[in-house]
Amino acid sequence: IPAYREKMYFMCRADAPYPPVVDPRQLSAHNAIFSGYSDGYTNWFKRWFGPTETPFLEVDLNAQVEDFLTSYGSEIWTIVPAAVALKYEQNPLLVYRELTHTPPDRIIYYLLKAGAVPKYVPEFIGLLKEAIADMRGIISML
């Protein structure tokens, strides 16, 4: 069941050479830190950079991405979902930029066993709605 969708954000170092609005054609996949957040994002990446282009790094843990962004050259970039961007923008070394062609939103789902409605589900959904209500780039689907 869809819970919410998140906008995807281009993130880079504050000293990066990228303009306030970035066209994906200005980017090199070889400077990208890639995380396969969704099929939509993976397809977007392949469409703009080709199926054979390899990113600088491919990682699965968001905690690593922030360290890599701040540790390597100023041209390193990544694209992250809104919840991650909100965390990264607390780091004064990192900024987000607008994209002329954004990846599709990432959709987060929750699962329920068919035919069962556990008694805590309505409470969980209420807490989730409250938690994401004011988060920039996150749209509730509950």
Side-chain angles (χ1 to χ4, degrees), residues 26 30 42 51 75 119 124:
Q26 297 172 291
H30 301 293
T42 300
E75 292 186 4
K119 65 181 181 178
F124 168 77

Side-chain angles (χ1 to χ4, degrees), residues 110 120-133 140 142:
Y110 68 96
Y120 298 111
V121 170
E123 184 177 344
F124 168 77
I125 290 173
L127 291 170
L128 181 59
K129 278 184 183 179
E130 188 178 311
I132 65 174
S140 176
L142 299 170

